[in-house]
Structure formats: C-alpha cells, structure tokens
C-alpha cells in the first residue's frame, strides 16, 4: 500500500474513532499495537481542534492562533509546515523569538518538525549549523530570529511560520 493510501486509511480510522463512545474507543484502542497508536497520532487533521487547522478559505494570508499553554500551537504549526514541505518544492521561513528558541521548539521540540516527520516515517535533512531543514522534493525551511529584522530582508519565501510573536524584540520591523 502506498504511503498516501496508508495516510488516508489512518485519517479515516481516526475520524471513525472520534464518533465512537468512550467505551467503544477503549475497546478499539486495546486491540491496537503501539505502531497502530502512533499511526493514529499522525492523522492530526482528523482529531485536531478547528483552530489547529489552517483556514479553508481561498486566498488567506495570515493565520493567527492565539491560545494558552498546551493547546497544540506548535504541533499545529509543525504539521502545517511539514505538509507544505512534503507536497511540493517551497521555501519556508521559520521565525522564532531567537534562533535558539526556533531551533529548540519549532524544529527539535517534542511537537516540532523533526518529531512530526518521524511520526510520518518521512526523512528530512536537518542541518543545525546552517539552520536549515529540507525535504526530498526540494523544499527548504530556514531559521530566522524576530530579534534580527534585517535577517529577514532579502530571502524570499513562499510561507512563514512565525512563532511567539509577542516575544520578538523587533516584532514590528521583522513583520
């Protein structure tokens, strides 16, 4: 079975699981292997809250996710960026308050891009010294800092994931 068909199968399974009673869910999950449970976790769109999914309208330019700790903002951002990077060649800016925070949270964190790629069993190339993550089809995501607005001048990107905007020292200039 192709990886796309497997993804669709697990997404449909996760949707079916969400319509079951708690007792039915427990019975279903009791029959699953640890690998099955991990595959269900990759079907993020099936169980994510509406606010954790990108807007469905055409032509949107800004998606703001304003929520508290534990809501899943990082996981939602990583899922979105990973899907963009996997589907077609694009350039993506990963902008955090600092380069270190962008690396620690957005890329290497528990809910970051490397974790999401592992869940999908898809290889990405992480070059920490370059602050660059790349996918097989030619997509590249590069780390930037909201503390250095000038660093964002020049490079062109199709998309940007801006994390923790309120922590950026040069937020207005960087934006």
């Amino acid at each position: 079975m192709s990886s796309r068909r497997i993804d669709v199968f697990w997404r449909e399974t996760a949707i079916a699981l969400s319509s079951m009673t708690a007792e039915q869910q427990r019975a279903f999950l009791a029959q699953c292997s640890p690998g099955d449970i991990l595959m269900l976790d990759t079907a993020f769109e099936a169980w994510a809250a509406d606010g954790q999914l990108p807007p469905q309208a055409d032509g949107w330019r800004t998606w703001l996710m304003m929520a508290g700790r534990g809501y899943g903002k990082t996981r939602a951002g990583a899922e979105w960026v990973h899907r963009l990077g996997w589907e077609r060649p694009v350039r993506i800016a990963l902008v955090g308050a600092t380069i270190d925070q962008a690396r620690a949270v957005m890329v290497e964190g528990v809910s970051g891009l490397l974790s999401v790629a592992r869940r999908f069993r898809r290889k990405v190339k992480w070059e920490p010294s370059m602050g660059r993550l790349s996918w097989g089809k030619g997509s590249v995501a590069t780390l930037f800092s909201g503390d250095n607005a000038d660093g964002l001048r020049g490079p062109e990107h199709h998309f940007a994931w801006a994390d923790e905007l309120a922590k950026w020292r040069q937020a207005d200039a960087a934006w």
Side-chain angles (χ1 to χ4, degrees), residues 74 102 105 161 165-166:
T74 301
V105 175
W161 174 14
L165 219 62

Side-chain angles (χ1 to χ4, degrees), residues 65 71-79 105-107 109-113 116 161 163-164:
M65 199 178 316
Y71 178 75
K73 299 178 296 293
T74 301
R75 174 76 186 266
E79 291 279 349
V105 175
M106 300 168 81
V107 177
V110 173
S111 300
L113 285 160
V116 167
W161 174 14
D163 190 52
E164 297 281 355

Side-chain angles (χ1 to χ4, degrees), residues 46-99:
W47 54 262
D50 288 341
Q52 291 174 302
L53 299 173
Q56 295 301 307
D58 289 336
W60 65 271
R61 295 182 51 94
T62 304
W63 168 27
L64 173 66
M65 199 178 316
M66 197 160 56
R69 286 181 174 261
Y71 178 75
K73 299 178 296 293
T74 301
R75 174 76 186 266
E79 291 279 349
W80 175 65
V81 167
H82 177 69
R83 190 163 306 282
L84 290 171
W86 183 256
E87 289 175 346
R88 62 187 187 277
V90 292
R91 292 180 310 278
I92 305 163
L94 303 174
V95 191
T98 66
I99 292 287

Side-chain angles (χ1 to χ4, degrees), residues 37-54:
I37 301 293
L38 287 174
M39 290 304 292
L40 281 169
D41 189 43
T42 64
F44 181 74
E45 293 91 352
W47 54 262
D50 288 341
Q52 291 174 302
L53 299 173

